[in-house]
Every structure is written in structure tokens, then in C-alpha cells.
Amino acid sequence: MGRFSFNNLRIDATDVESSGQFARTIEAGLYPREELSRLPEGILEKYFEPGDNPENLRVIEKVRQRVKFQQHDLLSLHEIGQGYSVILCKNVLLHFQPPERIEVLRMFHRALAPGGFFATEQTQEMPRELDSSFQRVIPDGPLFRKLEGAQCAS
Ligand SMILES: C[S@@+](CC[C@H](N)C(=O)[O-])C[C@H]1O[C@@H](n2cnc3c(N)ncnc32)[C@H](O)[C@@H]1O
């Protein structure tokens, strides 16, 4: 991402808990070194700096400035915005009942820009009901593209 595009980047981070672990991590931008060990080469050097102690690294200020945390209950089914290029929802949908999962995915579909991407954890399946709304992008990973013009009818 060039400098110009980067300046237009916005990352909305949400969780149902406004002061839970996730909110605190996002706010501080601190991550244990060992959890970052699987990042692709070059990313660590480019986007992280020394943290508050030798075990932690901190996301650089330039990126942290782009991240805004807000409390949001996915089960409200109200999207927090529109036109997202990417929605990443990891290890959350598994807590919901199958019909709730479908409705949350429909909400993500509404929030995505045409052709936008949805990514989730490896074990999450896309429900058959949404076959016409999302298309798997790669065979061996949970990355999906919003289908253009797909009707996400309830
Ligand atoms: C296992 S953690 C995953 C955190 C993070 N996504 C990750 O992969 O590291 C599950 C998170 O889902 C959040 N959560 C549970 N129910 C939710 C809901 N209805 N709306 C939004 N977030 C919810 C919890 O507060 C918790 O932070």
C-alpha cells in the first residue's frame, strides 16, 4: 500500500465488550512476540516496534492511528458502516447458533463494498444459504468475496 492509500486507510475494530481483553489489546497495540512469529517475512520489521517489555512488540503509531475501537454487538444485526473492503471476523461466529450466524453474515454482506472480502477462521464454513452471496476465493482458506449484485434476502 503506497503512502497515499495508507493515509486513507481506516480500520474499525469491534467487540461486544467495551473494556475486555480485545479492546485493551487494540488500544495498547501490544502483542506477545511469540504470537507474532508466524507473520510473513518483513511485516514485523515494518509495522512493529519495541513494546513495554522485551516479550512484547507494539504496532507502530502510524498504524495505531488508523484503528478505531467501538463496542458493537454483532447480534444487533446493524452494520457499523458501509463500503468496507475487508471484514475479518475470527473466533466469534462459532459462539452463535446457526440461524444467528447466517444473519450476521448477511449483515457483513450489506456492509461490504461490491467485491469486498470476508475472512474468518480456518474451521468456519460458509452456510449453504449464502452460496449466492459469497464466493470462496481460495480452496484451502476461509477467504470469501462478496458476489456482485447478489440478493441477500432473508
Ligand atoms: C475467542 S474471542 C476472539 C477474539 C479475536 N477475534 C481473536 O480471534 O483473537 C471471542 C470474542 O467474541 C466476542 N463476542 C462474543 N459475542 C459477541 C457479540 N454478540 N458481538 C460481538 N462480539 C462478541 C467476545 O467478547 C470475545 O472478545
Side-chain angles (χ1 to χ4, degrees):
M1 195 180 269
R3 190 186 309 171
F4 180 74
S5 306
F6 193 88
N7 289 340
N8 291 322
L9 177 72
R10 198 187 79 211
I11 301 173
D12 289 327
T14 73
D15 196 278
V16 71
E17 302 279 350
S18 58
S19 54
Q21 177 63 43
F22 184 71
R24 289 200 302 276
T25 300
I26 291 293
E27 215 144 81
L30 287 168
Y31 295 87
R33 270 177 199 275
E34 59 172 303
E35 284 187 20
L36 301 171
S37 61
R38 286 187 301 147
L39 283 179
E41 208 174 312
I43 297 289
L44 212 60
E45 297 72 18
K46 199 167 173 190
Y47 295 113
F48 289 84
E49 60 191 18
D52 55 345
N53 68 54
E55 271 90 65
N56 286 338
L57 290 175
R58 190 192 297 275
V59 178
I60 58 171
E61 170 72 8
K62 186 177 154 194
V63 176
R64 278 190 285 130
Q65 278 174 357
R66 301 279 143 204
V67 184
K68 188 176 139 231
F69 176 82
Q70 55 187 299
Q71 189 272 342
H72 180 232
D73 181 358
L74 292 173
L75 294 177
S76 72
L77 303 181
H78 294 301
E79 55 269 39
I80 57 160
Q82 295 280 330
Y84 289 99
S85 306
V86 180
I87 293 179
L88 169 62
C89 183
K90 190 169 84 48
N91 298 330
V92 184
L93 294 174
L94 78 169
H95 297 295
F96 302 157
Q97 295 300 313
E100 294 173 332
R101 218 172 282 165
I102 291 171
E103 292 311 315
V104 170
L105 287 163
R106 286 189 169 128
M107 186 256 289
F108 289 158
H109 186 274
R110 293 194 295 276
L112 280 170
F117 292 96
F118 169 68
T120 184
E121 73 269 15
Q122 193 72 35
T123 50
Q124 195 59 240
E125 297 291 332
M126 182 58 73
R128 296 300 309 268
E129 287 85 341
L130 300 178
D131 273 358
S132 63
S133 304
F134 290 99
Q135 179 182 44
R136 189 175 270 274
V137 179
I138 45 173
D140 55 348
L143 178 65
F144 302 87
R145 186 193 282 270
K146 172 175 174 165
L147 287 173
E148 300 287 341
Q151 292 305 303
C152 222
S154 305

